[in-house]
Amino acid sequence: MRGLIFDPFAGISGDMTIAALLDLGLPLEWLRSFVAGLNLGDIRVDAERANRKGIAATRLVLELPHEHAHRHLHHVVKIIEGTGVAPEVRDRAIHAFTLLAESEAAVHGTTVEKVHFHEVGALDAIVDVLAAVAGCHELGATSFYTRPVALGRGWVDMAHGHFPVPPPAVLKLLQGIPVTDPEFEGECTTPTGAALIQALTGGAPPPATYTPVASGFGAGTRDPQDRPNVLRLVLIEPQGGADEGIVVIHCDVDDLTPEYVPTLLQSVLDAGAADCSAQPLVMKKGRPGVRIEALASPEKLEAVSAALFRGGSTIGLRFWPAGRRVLPRRMETVSWRDQEIRVKRSALPGGGERAKPEFDDVARAAAALGMTPLEAYRALLADGVAREER
């Protein structure tokens, strides 16, 4: 299990992210094949070496067909869903564009459905987001972290007019993310770059201890005098378990019949939550209630929230980013008494591992062998299929 640290000390954009992934070891031919497979038109993909204030880096070169499209979010989502990318890539990319739409809507006082994407709805932004997310997946990164994001100063011309740096949408996108405000002139972080940071890392800081595997620098198109205009990415192996960004979501209700709680929990899990639980509590006016709490990756926030609203009685919920530390694990299937059992093996700090059979498989095997699930589990322990080694 590998992690990826974003180090946007001079800012971040979509093309800088892809360029840094290439510098990190992502094969250029893989990127060309991936972009061609998106079926978004005649897009030329290339890369060149660049030097930014003494730092050797890779710069991405994209040549796209000319277009005049001004898309809404549902147009972009339809394009992403039609590309056939892996589900985890699709979900993260849609999450990034949903964040972009929400930030634009908040800035301009409109709704997500009415937001007109301009620069970030163009083909290059769609390619940047999809290729960046897919490139991280291709390099084997499963957890993501960020160091403070450089903002920049001054003014920038955008589709809506002349805006201060950082643009309002960028600050909205970076809520909950550590930032830094060095005296760099001009735009350092673009909306696309900010959306990638938010969608991938959720603001999670790097682990205290890790082993660097590789690092890469992605160059921006400009070469300003006050900074090396590059993004650094560091591929790592966390030590003693991986830290990852996760969102905690919960709501308190006092008008949900208890018999509907189990189905609500299941619908939240089906929506992509990593975990979901219920606990009793006493609410205002002394009313007995229940708290539904879910854990989800940042890109699953919208789906999990929708499941809570649809499946329960709440009219509001709370959420915030948090850190989570997990042990490296792998799943393998073993044959036991002619039954297939999935076993989750987790590496323990300091050596050894914990092996736990999946309950559904234990129950199915028990029924086939005329045993109770507990008897089957004890037999698995006795046969050494499930055990803890230190």
Side-chain angles (χ1 to χ4, degrees):
M1 182 180 293
R2 287 182 170 181
L4 189 67
I5 298 174
F6 284 77
D7 189 9
F9 58 84
I12 178 174
S13 65
D15 62 308
M16 290 169 72
T17 303
I18 300 171
L21 290 169
L22 290 170
D23 206 53
L24 200 58
L26 184 71
L28 178 59
E29 287 306 314
W30 177 91
L31 180 61
R32 286 171 172 158
S33 176
F34 175 80
V35 172
L38 297 177
N39 297 316
L40 296 179
D42 185 18
I43 302 175
R44 187 177 78 88
V45 181
D46 209 343
E48 62 184 23
R49 298 301 293 166
N51 189 289
R52 297 290 185 263
K53 299 294 175 288
I55 295 179
T58 296
R59 189 175 83 85
L60 178 69
V61 179
L62 278 182
E63 292 184 7
L64 301 103
H66 185 68
E67 61 168 7
H68 295 283
H70 284 173
R71 300 180 174 93
H72 292 87
L73 176 61
H74 68 88
H75 294 130
V76 176
V77 170
K78 186 175 181 180
I79 290 174
I80 294 173
E81 290 178 338
T83 59
V85 296
E88 55 267 37
V89 174
R90 178 200 63 212
D91 291 346
R92 286 189 186 275
I94 290 175
H95 180 51
F97 274 102
T98 301
L99 291 171
L100 282 164
E102 290 172 346
S103 67
E104 290 284 344
V107 168
H108 300 298
T110 185
T111 64
V112 169
E113 292 76 20
K114 293 181 180 179
V115 165
H116 244 310
F117 283 138
H118 294 277
E119 292 93 343
V120 296
L123 275 182
D124 57 346
I126 296 172
V127 171
D128 282 351
V129 170
L130 280 168
V133 175
C136 292
H137 180 71
E138 179 67 17
L139 288 177
T142 58
S143 53
F144 303 91
Y145 321 93
T146 186
R147 293 195 174 115
V149 183
L151 296 179
R153 297 184 177 185
W155 294 82
V156 62
D157 290 316
M158 304 181 70
H160 290 285
H162 202 48
F163 279 86
V165 175
V170 168
L171 276 184
K172 288 285 185 183
L173 285 161
L174 292 177
Q175 287 181 353
I177 306 291
V179 300
T180 183
D181 190 15
E183 295 184 1
F184 293 159
E185 284 299 318
E187 185 181 25
C188 293
T189 296
T190 67
T192 302
L196 285 170
I197 285 281
Q198 184 68 265
L200 288 170
T201 75
T209 305
Y210 60 84
T211 301
V213 176
S215 61
F217 289 95
T221 55
R222 295 181 294 119
D223 189 11
Q225 294 301 309
D226 58 356
R227 64 187 181 276
N229 190 26
V230 294
L231 166 70
R232 176 163 58 183
L233 296 180
V234 185
L235 192 65
I236 67 169
E237 289 182 355
Q239 299 301 303
D243 292 350
E244 58 186 35
I246 200 161
V247 180
V248 180
I249 313 159
H250 81 219
C251 60
D252 300 337
V253 293
D254 59 9
D255 57 352
L256 181 64
T257 305
E259 60 194 4
Y260 292 105
V261 171
T263 56
L264 174 58
L265 297 180
Q266 188 57 54
S267 67
V268 171
L269 292 172
D270 291 342
D275 201 359
C276 190
S277 60
Q279 53 184 299
L281 71 161
V282 177
M283 299 179 62
K284 62 184 179 182
K285 300 180 182 179
R287 296 171 180 166
V290 62
R291 171 167 295 173
I292 308 296
E293 183 169 288
L295 301 179
S297 56
E299 71 273 12
K300 295 294 185 182
L301 172 61
E302 294 303 318
V304 169
S305 298
L308 282 167
F309 284 126
R310 285 198 308 267
S313 59
T314 187
I315 58 174
L317 51 81
R318 295 169 292 281
F319 64 89
W320 58 90
R324 183 174 74 153
R325 179 163 298 177
V326 297
L327 294 175
R329 80 284 301 270
R330 70 185 191 280
M331 187 73 76
E332 66 179 38
T333 300
V334 300
S335 180
W336 176 74
R337 302 189 185 183
D338 295 326
Q339 303 296 317
E340 298 297 308
I341 305 288
R342 288 171 297 163
V343 179
K344 182 183 296 181
R345 299 190 181 277
S346 305
L348 297 169
E353 69 175 16
R354 179 181 296 126
K356 181 181 181 298
E358 291 294 292
F359 173 77
D360 289 345
D361 292 356
V362 174
R364 176 183 45 77
L369 297 171
M371 308 167 72
T372 67
L374 182 58
E375 289 171 337
Y377 176 67
R378 287 172 174 166
L380 284 163
L381 289 175
D383 292 345
V385 176
R387 65 180 182 276
E388 183 173 306
E389 299 175 348
R390 296 186 182 275

